Amino acid sequence: GGDGGEGGDGGTVNVGAFDAEGNLLSTGFSGTILTRGDRSTGFVAQSVGGGGGNGGLAVSVPIAASGAFSASVGVGVGGDGGIGGIGGDVSVGYEGDVRTEGDNSTGVIIQSVGGGGGNGGGSVAVSLSGSGGGSVSASASIGGDAGDGSVGGTVLAATRSSTVTTAGEYATGIIVQSVGGGGGNGGYAIAAGVAGAGTGAGSLNAALGGAGGTGGDAGIVGADLQSDVTTLGDNATGILVQSVGGGGGNGGFTISGGIAGAGTGAGTVSVGLGGAGGAAGEGNTVVASSSGDISTSGASSGGLVVQSIGGGGGNGGFNVSGSLSGAGTGSGAVSVGLGGDAGGGGIAGAV
C-alpha cells in the first residue's frame, strides 16, 4: 500500500504585541461578543497542524494448482501513515466582554494543536495451493507503521479589563492551551495459507503488525489573565490553562493461520507478532496568573485549573496464531504468537 502524506504546518498567529520576554505591549482585540446557541465559541485564536494521511491497504491472494507440484506465495505490505503537521506559535492580547448563553460553549479559546499522525495501512496475504503431488503455500503480511503526531506551539495569552460570562452547562470561560498531536495506529496484518496435496503439503505464514506512532510534545504555555470570569451553569470551568502531550498510537494486531492436508506428510507453521505501541508526548511548562474575580455558581464546577499533562502511551497490538495439519501418515503443526509492547507515558512539565 502507498504511504500517507504529511500534514501541513499551522502558521503563526499574533493578536496584539508582546516583547521578547512575553510581556503584553498592546492588545489586538477590543469589543463585545455574545453567542446564544449551544456549542458556540465567542473568540477563537488558534494554529492547528494538519493530520497525516493514512497508509494504503495491501491485499495479496495468489492461487496455484497443478497435477504434479504447485506453490503459491503471497506478500502484503501496508503503507506507512504520514506525520502530522506542526502547530504554530500563538500570542494573543485581548480586552473586551464575552458572554455565551448556550450549553457546551466557550467564551475564549487560545490554542496551538499539533496534527495527529496517520494510521498505518492494513495488510492481508492469503495463499492457496493444491496439487496431486506436492503443494506449498507461503504468506507474509506486514502492517504499515503509523505516522508520528507533531508538536504543539508556544502559546502566550494576556487579557485586560474584560469580563467573560457563560450561562450554560458544561461551559468554559477561558481556555489557553498547547496540545501535542496523537500518534496514529499501526496497521493490522493478516497472513493465511491453505495447501492440499496427495503427497507432501506445507503451509508457512508470518504476520507483523505495524508500530503505533509517537505522540507529539506540547509547547510552553504562558497566561497573564486579568479578566473577571463568571460561570452560571453546572459542570462548568472558569479558566483552564494547560499543556498536554499527545498520546501514543496503538500497535497493529496480527492474525496468522495455516491449514495443510495430504495423504502422506503435512505440516504448517504460523508466526505472528503484534505491533508495538507508540510512546507518548510530553507536557511542557505552564506559567499562569489570574488577578480578576472568578465566580462559579453551578454544581461540579471549577474556578481556575492550571495543569501540565503527559500523554498516555499506546497499547501493544494483540496476536492470534493457529495451525492445522492432517495426513494419513506424518503430520505436524507449530504456532508462535507474541503481542506487541506498549508505549511509555509522557512526562508532565512544571507548573
Side-chain angles (χ1 to χ4, degrees):
D3 294 341
E6 297 181 3
D9 294 341
T12 300
V13 176
N14 296 312
V15 181
F18 291 77
D19 63 20
E21 285 73 38
N23 300 308
L24 179 66
L25 299 176
S26 63
T27 59
F29 176 85
S30 177
T32 300
I33 298 173
L34 171 64
T35 69
R36 290 194 168 96
D38 294 341
R39 294 175 293 278
S40 299
T41 302
F43 177 90
V44 181
Q46 64 182 3
S47 179
V48 181
N54 297 325
L57 171 67
V59 178
S60 176
V61 186
I63 300 174
S66 172
F69 177 80
S70 66
S72 71
V73 178
V75 178
V77 180
D80 293 339
I83 64 174
I86 295 171
D89 294 341
V90 178
S91 60
V92 174
Y94 172 93
E95 60 181 334
D97 298 329
V98 178
R99 179 181 175 88
T100 66
E101 298 183 348
D103 296 337
N104 298 288
S105 296
T106 304
V108 178
I109 296 179
I110 302 168
Q111 65 181 1
S112 176
V113 182
N119 298 319
S123 174
V124 179
V126 180
S127 58
L128 305 174
S129 179
S131 172
S135 176
V136 175
S137 69
S139 300
S141 182
I142 301 175
D145 290 338
D148 294 337
S150 201
V151 298
T154 297
V155 178
L156 294 177
T159 64
R160 298 291 184 266
S161 62
S162 61
T163 63
V164 179
T165 303
T166 66
E169 295 184 350
Y170 299 97
T172 304
I174 299 175
I175 296 175
V176 182
Q177 64 182 3
S178 179
V179 181
N185 297 317
Y188 64 85
I190 298 173
V194 177
T199 303
S203 177
L204 305 174
N205 307 282
L208 176 63
T214 300
D217 294 339
I220 295 172
V221 177
D224 175 15
L225 307 177
Q226 299 180 13
S227 303
D228 293 334
V229 179
T230 302
T231 67
L232 304 176
D234 295 339
N235 301 292
T237 301
I239 297 174
L240 174 62
V241 184
Q242 63 182 2
S243 178
V244 183
N250 299 320
F253 71 85
T254 57
I255 298 175
S256 177
I259 299 174
T264 302
T268 61
V269 177
S270 300
V271 179
L273 176 62
E282 297 181 359
N284 217 315
T285 301
V286 179
V287 179
S289 66
S290 175
S291 57
D293 295 332
I294 302 174
S295 173
T296 62
S297 300
S300 302
S301 297
L304 173 63
V305 179
V306 182
Q307 60 190 4
S308 178
I309 302 174
N315 299 314
F318 69 84
N319 167 258
V320 178
S321 294
S323 298
L324 177 64
S325 68
T329 303
S331 175
V334 177
S335 298
V336 179
L338 182 62
D341 293 335
I347 299 171
V351 176

